[in-house]
Amino acid sequence: MIDYSEKIKEISKRLLEEGRVDIVIGFKKGTVPMMNEPCLVKSSGEVEKFVWDSNCGINLANYLTGRNEKTGIVAKGCDSRNIVTHIIENKIKREQLYIIGVPCKGMIDKHRVAAMFDGEIKVVDEKDAKIIIKGENFEKTLDKESILQSNCSICIHRNPVLNDELVADPVEEQRDVDRYEDVRKIETMKPQEKWQYFEDMLKPCIRCYACRNACPLCYCPTCFVDEHRPQWVGKSQDPTDLRTFHFLRAYHCAGRCTDCGACERACPVGIPVRQFTKKLEKDCLELFNWEAGMSLDVRPPLDTFRPDDPDDFIK
Amino acid sequence: MKIFKVDKQDWVAGVEKLFTAYRLVGPVNEGQFHNFKKLNKGELPDFNFLNTRLSAKSLVHSQTEAMFEYSLDENKENHHIMVDVKKDYSSQAVIGIRPCDAKAFLLVKRNFDTSQYRDPYWIRAYESLTLVGLACHNPCSSCFCTTSGCGPFHEEGLDVLLVDTDDYYLAKILTDKGKNFLIASGWDTETDADGGDQKIEIMKKAAEEKITVLINTDKLKAKETIALYDAEFWEEVAFSCINCGTCTYVCPTCWCFDIQDETRGKSGIRMRNWDSCMFPLFTLHGSGHNPRGKKVQRVRQRFMHKLKYYVEKYDNGIQCVGCGRCVNLCPVNIDIRRVCELMNAYDPQLECPA
Ligand code: SF4
Ligand code: SF4
Ligand code: SF4
Ligand code: SF4
């Protein structure tokens, strides 16, 4: 990872010095274990800030909204797919961007790791494919693969799909991954069971909207839950309003979600919100053979009509 | 005040007894973390936690609270009149609250219970509480309570301080409420013969020494408000913020709320919900104008409120007890300790030499 960091600094420095870009968006080292902070660099003197390791789970495409400078952006596989989505949704122009692609081997699931230990985790280091976790009275070395964010362990697009330069050779993509085991399990539930499953899942939600705001797709100037004239959704902890928020948000991501996992990573109470978006992602794949953010040249299924679109669901 | 020794063998029986005198609340393991929950008979507070994920503030200021109810049905008596919603304000004991959360209530009280205004909902709920604190022997590395007017054994705001000595608990009574709690539990029989006070002092020192992150707040008050407001660093601080409400929702001292009416059919309620200066609707005027329409303005509001406006208004420290929740839970790692340092050290002269 050290070489990734060095390479990111080197490329950023060059781009800024040559005037190819005005700013570069990347990560800087966090102040607590398993956290890095997105940061913006304006001059080559500041590039030393940049780091790359297994704690860069936030999706940087989220920071492109509203930018009008020539922008360099560090992008792992999923970020690059969300950048593609931003481009085809006319949020930003391809020419405005210089994409520094990072072949990715997954990000650590900080929620899961924290829950594995009784005491506080003070330091998390990584070396090759091992993660070393230290607390006051314990030290444990784990295989990185065993503590990946669940979206990373089933990721099949680890290499940036769109980039101007890669920081390293592409990594091997994971093959024969069963991406939808959990969704299928829910699909087989009876309606009442499903209802209960989602009720239990949403119970701890405090409606902080971190999941929505961490999502690069949620760039609407006014989200439907914040609309107040007319007010579509109540603002309290009423379960109906809570469900409405989650269900509708998921639908707004249909055919656009890249399963980057930023939402789950951001949630302060560990709600697996991808359970909603993944179902829609699976439907898009099965119905339209569509994976979001893979190409600049194909329009997404939800903004095109083709005579052969499946319509079996219309009874 | 008196210190009692509570044998761990008497713990279960004592808690059992308390159910007859109080509604009990305590930390409960919810899977990945602990939160405060009402305890049912037979349940015990679970002390195997560092701090609860959410603070204790919802015990006094719940995220959604009905204040009034009304009917629009003209056949009903009192139609079109807002009527107080009946609530249970009987005595409630919180067993295992951390000193920071207890102190946080006092910081909020300065705003909710003033000589001019008294928030009836907040005050009634707060007064119904008996706060039985659990001293921290192992503060987290994100805790900075000792420099935020609090500490791992801090007593202010508590009625009883419980100190776990491994073999038994020491219970230090701090108020009359605390005394009644100990009587109700039956733990008031055995005074600690061999200097409980000294033992507590030693453990307190050891715990305080474990806190290595210190913040400086000494210069905040004297800073010129406008200069701080206009400081260049806000853009940089705010860059990564995604304007979720996590930091303010998990904070024990954030108090903002928004009032809403909800009507269904012919009946309705007027309620208040937590609000957050991070949200786009916060301070949105009826005209459509919002003085804090941009992210950087929202982020600045949060820190200026906690570390400058509050400091100036009450002249009694910052609006933060150093619990570290926002530091740990911010999805993008915006760290109030760093921002506090930037604010405290800010010197406009240095920033823009004439
Ligand atoms: S981040 Fe988590 S708690 Fe916050 S609104 Fe989303 S699901 Fe709810
Ligand atoms: S501002 Fe952060 S550290 Fe301070 S009391 Fe609130 S949550 Fe705790
Ligand atoms: S204005 Fe912001 S920082 Fe201040 S109490 Fe309200 S939510 Fe908290
Ligand atoms: S939790 Fe972090 S990202 Fe969310 S509003 Fe607070 S500072 Fe911003």
Side-chain angles (χ1 to χ4, degrees), chain A residues 28 30-31 35 37-40 58 63 120 136 206 208 210 213 226 228-229 231 234-237 266 268-269, chain B residues 33 53 63-64 138 140-141 236 239-240 242-246 249 260 262 273 280-281 284 286 330-333 335:
Chain A
K28 69 175 179 193
T31 61
M35 283 299 281
E37 183 182 349
C39 76
L40 176 146
I58 286 294
Y63 293 91
E120 191 206 3
E136 194 162 81
I206 55 169
C208 64
N213 291 21
D226 293 327
H228 64 123
R229 282 188 301 200
Q231 181 164 307
K235 307 260 184 271
S236 74
Q237 283 300 87
V269 293
Chain B
F33 46 78
R53 180 62 55 103
Q63 186 167 1
T64 293
N138 291 305
C140 305
S141 37
E236 188 257 321
F239 171 73
S240 66
I242 57 173
N243 265 181
C244 64
T246 303
Y249 275 14
Q260 296 260 323
E262 274 187 10
N273 299 310
L281 283 179
L284 177 65
C330 168
V332 298
N333 193 213
D335 191 326

Side-chain angles (χ1 to χ4, degrees), chain A residues 4-19:
Chain A
Y4 273 34
S5 301
E6 289 313 315
K7 197 77 197 178
I8 289 170
K9 292 177 197 173
E10 185 190 308
I11 297 173
S12 307
K13 187 162 185 276
R14 192 187 73 228
L15 294 174
L16 287 161
E17 278 172 359
E18 287 174 0

Side-chain angles (χ1 to χ4, degrees), chain B residues 15-135:
Chain B
V15 173
E16 197 61 28
K17 270 194 184 167
L18 287 165
F19 276 107
T20 56
Y22 300 91
R23 291 178 291 145
L24 293 189
V25 176
V28 170
N29 188 335
E30 295 201 305
Q32 290 184 25
F33 46 78
H34 284 67
N35 266 334
F36 286 103
K37 281 276 135 73
K38 173 176 179 270
L39 301 175
N40 295 311
K41 249 189 150 45
E43 275 182 299
L44 292 169
D46 178 6
F47 286 174
N48 186 23
F49 72 113
L50 297 164
N51 207 348
T52 50
R53 180 62 55 103
L54 302 176
S55 81
K57 80 172 161 189
S58 55
L59 298 173
V60 173
H61 183 177
S62 58
Q63 186 167 1
T64 293
E65 176 173 18
M67 299 184 292
F68 302 104
E69 50 198 0
Y70 53 84
S71 171
L72 306 176
D73 183 348
E74 304 207 346
N75 299 317
K76 290 221 167 110
E77 207 191 328
N78 276 343
H79 65 86
H80 290 87
I81 291 177
M82 295 272 185
V83 189
D84 240 329
V85 173
K86 295 249 170 331
K87 277 176 224 156
D88 186 358
Y89 290 116
S90 60
S91 301
Q92 206 172 174
V94 188
I95 311 178
I97 187 173
R98 290 298 189 190
C100 52
D101 276 5
K103 169 80 195 261
F105 285 129
L106 298 181
L107 301 195
V108 176
K109 194 167 185 286
R110 290 187 193 134
N111 187 46
F112 280 50
D113 184 4
T114 72
S115 53
Q116 254 185 315
Y117 302 105
R118 302 193 78 222
D119 183 301
Y121 315 102
W122 194 94
I123 289 173
R124 274 181 284 182
Y126 179 65
E127 285 178 348
S128 76
L129 297 183
T130 295
L131 299 176
V132 182
L134 181 64

